[in-house]
Amino acid sequence: SLQVFLTFLLVTGVHSNKEMAKKIKRPKFTVPQINCDVKAGKIINPEFIVKCPAGCQDPKYHVYGTDVYASYSSVCGAAVHSGVLDNSGGKILVRKVAGQSGYKGSYSNGVQSLSLPRWRESFIVLESKPKKGVTYPSALTYSSSKSPAAQAGETTKVYQRPPIPGTTAQPVTLMQLLAVTVAVATPTTLPRPSPSAASTTSIPRPQPVGHRSQEMDLWSTATYTSSQNRPGADPGIQRQDPSGAAFQKPVGADVSLGKLPTSPKVLLLFPGLVPKEELSTQSLEPVSLGDPNCKIDLSFLIDGSTSIGKRRFRIQKQLLADVAQALDIGPAGPLMGVVQYGDNPATHFNLKTHTNSRDLKKAIEKITQRGGLSNVGRAISFVTKNFFSKANGNRSGAPNVVVVMVDGWPTDKVEEASRLARESGINIFFITIEGAAENEKQYVVEPNFANKAVCRTNGFYSLHVQSWFGLHKTLQPLVKRVCDTDRLACSKTCLNSADIGFVIDGSSSVGTGNFRTVLQFVTNLTKEFEISDTDTRIGAVQYTYEQRLEFGFDKYSSKPDILNAIKRVGYWSGGTSTGAAINFALEQLFKKSKPNKRKLMILITDGRSYDDVRIPAMAAHLKGVITYAIGVAWAAQEELEVIATHPARDHSFFVDEFDNLYQYVPRIIQNICTEFNSQPRN
C-alpha cells in the first residue's frame, strides 16, 4: 500500500509539473526598432534583427560599399541599397563581418552608396529569417551611453549600481560599467587599438582588477580632475604595471594626466566617456577618394540670368547639390567645378577647390545669382579656353564634361563655340527647361540650339523637362550618362584617338644624312599627338627590298619613350619595294590595332617602287586604314595618289628636297584633324 501511495504522489507531481509548464509562456521576441541614421558600428551585437522605419532612401543617410558595407554606414540605408528593403521600411537581419581593404560605391534601388578605401568592420544585410536555435536580442547593446535607440524609444540594457547609503542610485549602461578601468601602458604615446581588437564580434567583458584590459576597442582617453570628493566614490583603484608594482589612487585625490607619475605611463578610462574608436567616428567622417568608375572632370554651367528668378535658381542649386552627392566626388573619381553665366561667365570654383561631396555641397549652397542675359555661347567659349587647365585641376586621363543648364533659350549663338569645345575634347551635355512657347519662338536667336551644341545628336547628351519642378527627374539619367565614359565620344579628339604607323623608306637613294632628316620629320609629327596606351599610339616600319618592324603600337606608351625609339632607328639601305612594305605594315602593325582607334598610315618614300602598289593600297583602304603618302625628290606623283586615301589632294604631298619636309607638318596635322572633326555627330 505504501508503494501504491508513493506511485500516486509521483504521477500526480509529474502531471502538475506538466500543467505548470503549459501555463508558463515563453517570452515573446520583440524586434528592436532603429532610426534611419543609426550606423552599424554603433551596435555591439554581432548579429541582430531590427525594424527600419520608412524614408531611409534619403541621401543624407550615408552608405559606404556594395553588398558588403562599412560599419560607418546607415544600417537601414544599406538595407534599401541592397534591395532587402524598399523605402517603406521593414524588418532585416544584420550580420557583422570583417573589415575590408576597400569599399566600392554604386547606385542601386534609389540609393547612391559611396566608395571608401578601408574600414575596420563591415556588415551584410539579409532578409529577417531567424536561424533555428539562434536567439536574437530584443534590446540592442550600443557602444555609447547616448544610444540612438534611446532616441527611437527603445530601452537599452541598463546596469543598476548598488546604492550607497545617503546617495541616490544612478543607472549606468553596461558600456559605462565596462569603461570603468585603469590601464597601464609602458610606451610614452597612447596605444592605438589593434585591428583585431577593433572587431565587435563578441560582447566585451569587464576585466578583473590587476589585469590589463584586453578590450582595446573600448579604451577612451581623458584628463579628469576631481575638485570635490564624489559621494560614494571608490576608496581607491589599484592597478599593476608589467613589473608587478602597484599604483594606488588615493581617496578623493585630484586625478589628471599631468599629476600622475611619469613612469609608468598611466591611461585612465572613466564611465560615461565615449570609447576612443567611437570618438573618432563621430568627429571624423571618412572622406571618400571618389568613385574610380566615374573618373571625369566636370564643369556645370548654371543659368544665372535675371529671367530665371530666385526660386528657380534655388531649384537649380539643389540639383547641383544632389549631383555632387550622387557622384561621390574625390581625387580618384569625379571632380566638379561650377561656372555661372549671365551677361558674362564667372567661375565659382574649379576642379581642385573642393575634392569631396560634403565640401562641394556647402560651396554650392553659398552661390548667389548674378543676373543679366543668358549668353550661353560666351560661357561655353570661356570654359573651353579657361576652365580645363592643369592649374585648375584638370587631369589628363579624365574625360572633360560640361553640363549646360538653360532656362528657355540662350540670348546668343552656341553653335560655333560648341564646335570648338567638341574639337578640344569636351563632351557637352544640355539640360533645357521650359522651352519657348509658340508666341515666343520669334525671340529665339538660334533655333534647335541644343542639337547644334551637344557632343552627339542621338539624344544621349540632351535632357529636357517641361517644368522646373520636374528638374529633379534628370538626376539619375544625368549621373548615369556622364559616368558612362565609354560613350563620352567627344573625349576622343584628332590628337588622342589614333594608332599611327610610320612606313619609312630606308633605300640606298635616301642616304644616311637624309634618313636622319626623315626621322626628324617623324619626330615632329609625333610631338603633336597625345601619347599613351589609351590615347594615340605610334609604331614604325622601315623597308628596302625587305621590311623590318622597328617597334609596334604596344611597345612604348609615353611620348619620351617614343621619341627616343625614333632616334635609335638605324639606316638600313637597299632597294625600294613599297607595295610589299604596305602589306607588311598591315600585317605586323595594323592587325594589332585596337578596334576603337582610327588607323593612320604615314608613308615616306623618295622614289618609285620596284613592285606594284595598287593592290596593297586597295587592301589598306578596305581595312579602314587612312593612308597619307609623302614623296621626296624622285618619288612618282601618280604612285603617291594611288597609295593615298581619297581625296588624294588631302592625303598625298610632294616635296623636292628632304630639308623641306618640316614645312608640311602643320598641314598634315590640320588635315588629320579636319577629317576627324567632319565625322557625323549622330
Side-chain angles (χ1 to χ4, degrees):
S1 60
L2 179 60
Q3 185 177 0
V4 172
F5 177 71
L6 291 174
T7 303
F8 171 77
L9 289 177
L10 179 62
V11 172
T12 304
V14 171
H15 178 74
S16 299
N17 288 338
K18 287 182 178 179
E19 289 298 319
M20 290 177 64
K22 289 180 180 179
K23 292 179 181 179
I24 297 174
K25 294 182 179 180
R26 292 184 179 180
K28 186 178 180 182
F29 170 60
T30 303
V31 177
Q33 183 166 340
I34 61 174
N35 290 334
C36 295
D37 60 352
V38 174
K39 297 168 180 155
K42 293 282 187 180
I43 301 171
I44 296 294
N45 307 79
E47 189 168 330
F48 52 89
I49 294 176
V50 291
K51 185 176 181 181
C52 293
C56 296
Q57 198 179 50
D58 195 305
K60 68 182 179 182
Y61 306 122
H62 294 174
V63 177
Y64 299 88
T66 301
D67 297 329
V68 178
Y69 302 94
S71 64
Y72 197 75
S73 304
S74 157
V75 173
C76 298
V80 177
H81 182 272
S82 67
V84 175
L85 289 184
D86 57 24
N87 202 35
S88 61
K91 299 177 184 177
I92 56 170
L93 171 63
V94 178
R95 184 177 300 150
K96 299 286 189 72
V97 294
Q100 306 289 307
S101 59
Y103 299 84
K104 181 180 177 183
S106 65
Y107 179 79
S108 178
N109 301 305
V111 176
Q112 176 67 51
S113 70
L114 308 177
S115 299
L116 193 65
R118 67 184 66 84
W119 199 245
R120 64 179 183 272
E121 181 186 61
S122 311
F123 69 99
I124 58 175
V125 183
L126 306 167
E127 294 182 4
S128 59
K129 294 180 180 179
K131 288 183 181 178
K132 290 183 179 180
V134 177
T135 303
Y136 295 92
S138 295
L140 302 175
T141 304
Y142 288 86
S143 59
S144 66
S145 58
K146 295 181 180 180
S147 72
Q151 300 169 9
E154 181 196 336
T155 57
T156 58
K157 294 180 181 178
V158 174
Y159 170 81
Q160 190 76 24
R161 178 177 297 204
I164 304 294
T167 65
T168 303
Q170 298 293 327
V172 293
T173 64
L174 177 61
M175 290 309 301
Q176 287 177 309
L177 175 66
L178 294 178
V180 185
T181 179
V182 179
V184 181
T186 52
T188 55
T189 57
L190 298 180
R192 296 179 63 86
S194 65
S196 60
S199 172
T200 56
T201 56
S202 62
I203 300 177
R205 300 180 180 180
Q207 298 295 318
V209 173
H211 291 269
R212 183 184 300 274
S213 172
Q214 298 300 315
E215 304 301 329
M216 298 289 285
D217 57 330
L218 301 178
W219 284 18
S220 172
T221 61
T223 299
Y224 174 82
T225 302
S226 175
S227 58
Q228 297 178 347
N229 290 343
R230 180 168 52 85
D234 295 335
I237 300 176
Q238 182 172 337
R239 300 288 291 174
Q240 291 182 347
D241 70 8
S243 65
F247 165 68
Q248 182 79 20
K249 178 177 77 66
V251 177
D254 287 347
V255 180
S256 70
L257 293 183
K259 295 183 179 181
L260 293 175
T262 56
S263 179
K265 304 302 179 195
V266 178
L267 177 65
L268 296 180
L269 307 179
F270 295 96
L273 296 178
V274 181
K276 182 176 180 181
E277 291 204 358
E278 285 303 319
L279 181 65
S280 66
T281 59
Q282 287 179 341
S283 59
L284 294 175
E285 180 175 343
V287 177
S288 172
L289 294 179
D291 182 1
N293 297 314
C294 183
K295 188 177 180 180
I296 60 171
D297 288 343
L298 171 63
S299 172
F300 256 94
L301 265 64
I302 61 172
D303 192 339
S305 59
T306 304
S307 62
I308 194 175
K310 292 183 178 179
R311 184 180 183 184
R312 289 181 288 187
F313 190 76
R314 286 197 300 269
I315 295 173
Q316 185 177 214
K317 289 204 305 179
Q318 184 58 52
L319 177 67
L320 261 66
D322 292 343
V323 169
Q325 180 65 48
L327 280 179
D328 187 10
I329 300 296
L335 294 177
M336 176 174 156
V338 175
V339 173
Q340 183 180 170
Y341 67 88
D343 290 335
N344 294 295
T347 301
H348 284 285
F349 40 84
N350 60 34
L351 295 167
K352 66 180 183 181
T353 309
H354 305 292
T355 56
N356 62 73
S357 297
R358 181 183 62 245
D359 293 345
L360 185 57
K361 288 167 67 178
K362 291 179 181 177
I364 290 169
E365 181 60 32
K366 296 176 182 178
I367 294 175
T368 57
Q369 187 178 0
R370 295 172 60 85
L373 297 174
S374 184
N375 290 330
V376 177
R378 185 176 295 177
I380 293 173
S381 294
F382 173 82
V383 168
T384 303
K385 295 174 183 177
N386 303 294
F387 189 85
F388 294 106
S389 66
K390 190 173 182 180
N392 287 336
N394 188 50
R395 300 166 294 180
S396 59
N400 294 340
V401 179
V402 171
V403 177
V404 185
M405 302 185 67
V406 182
D407 174 42
W409 60 90
T411 52
D412 64 349
K413 292 188 176 183
V414 303
E415 184 173 14
E416 180 61 18
S418 300
R419 182 186 66 80
L420 294 173
R422 293 194 304 269
E423 291 179 2
S424 299
I426 298 173
N427 296 272
I428 301 180
F429 288 78
F430 259 62
I431 300 177
T432 52
I433 309 102
E434 297 182 359
E438 196 62 37
N439 61 343
E440 295 174 322
K441 290 184 177 178
Q442 58 182 317
Y443 304 113
V444 177
V445 175
E446 191 174 30
N448 201 26
F449 62 89
N451 271 348
K452 293 177 180 178
V454 294
C455 179
R456 294 288 185 270
T457 58
N458 55 9
F460 182 79
Y461 294 87
S462 302
L463 292 164
H464 178 74
V465 289
Q466 297 293 336
S467 165
W468 277 94
F469 299 109
L471 185 61
H472 67 278
K473 296 178 182 178
T474 64
L475 173 63
Q476 297 308 330
L478 177 64
V479 169
K480 185 176 180 180
R481 293 181 193 187
V482 298
C483 289
D484 191 354
T485 53
D486 291 336
R487 294 189 64 180
L488 296 181
C490 284
S491 299
K492 297 301 180 184
T493 70
C494 57
L495 301 178
N496 69 6
S497 59
D499 280 345
I500 302 176
F502 289 97
V503 181
I504 305 167
D505 185 349
S507 61
S508 302
S509 57
V510 174
T512 303
N514 288 334
F515 187 78
R516 306 303 338 162
T517 303
V518 170
L519 292 183
Q520 186 59 52
F521 171 71
V522 171
T523 296
N524 293 343
L525 281 172
T526 300
K527 286 180 179 178
E528 298 294 323
F529 293 91
E530 298 172 27
I531 308 294
S532 80
D533 55 354
T534 57
D535 295 314
T536 292
R537 303 188 303 170
I538 305 292
V541 168
Q542 184 182 176
Y543 73 95
T544 58
Y545 284 127
E546 300 177 284
Q547 306 83 34
R548 182 169 72 195
L549 179 66
E550 300 293 352
F551 50 87
F553 294 134
D554 56 356
K555 181 71 173 178
Y556 304 107
S557 58
S558 71
K559 188 175 290 187
D561 289 344
I562 288 290
L563 298 180
N564 286 331
I566 293 170
K567 288 180 182 178
R568 292 194 299 268
V569 174
Y571 176 49
W572 204 357
S573 186
T576 309
S577 295
T578 306
I582 294 172
N583 281 332
F584 182 85
L586 293 177
E587 186 66 25
Q588 297 299 319
L589 271 181
F590 293 101
K591 195 172 182 178
K592 300 175 183 178
S593 182
K594 292 184 178 180
N596 62 338
K597 297 287 188 182
R598 296 177 73 229
K599 304 176 185 65
L600 302 180
M601 181 190 298
I602 300 177
L603 185 144
I604 307 117
T605 182
D606 80 327
R608 184 180 292 274
S609 177
Y610 293 171
D611 60 356
D612 181 57
V613 299
R614 295 177 183 274
I615 295 176
M618 186 178 296
H621 302 161
L622 291 174
K623 291 181 179 180
V625 178
I626 301 169
T627 307
Y628 288 81
I630 295 98
V632 187
W634 301 280
Q637 185 71 40
E638 71 278 8
E639 201 169 76
L640 297 176
E641 293 176 358
V642 169
I643 294 170
T645 296
H646 181 78
R649 66 177 181 274
D650 295 330
H651 298 88
S652 65
F653 306 92
F654 179 83
V655 293
D656 53 359
E657 294 182 4
F658 284 94
D659 289 341
N660 293 331
L661 275 172
Y662 75 94
Q663 299 176 4
Y664 282 83
V665 171
R667 185 176 170 187
I668 293 170
I669 296 297
Q670 181 182 359
N671 286 12
I672 289 173
C673 288
T674 300
E675 185 173 41
F676 177 89
N677 295 324
S678 65
Q679 297 176 103
R681 292 195 300 118
N682 53 25

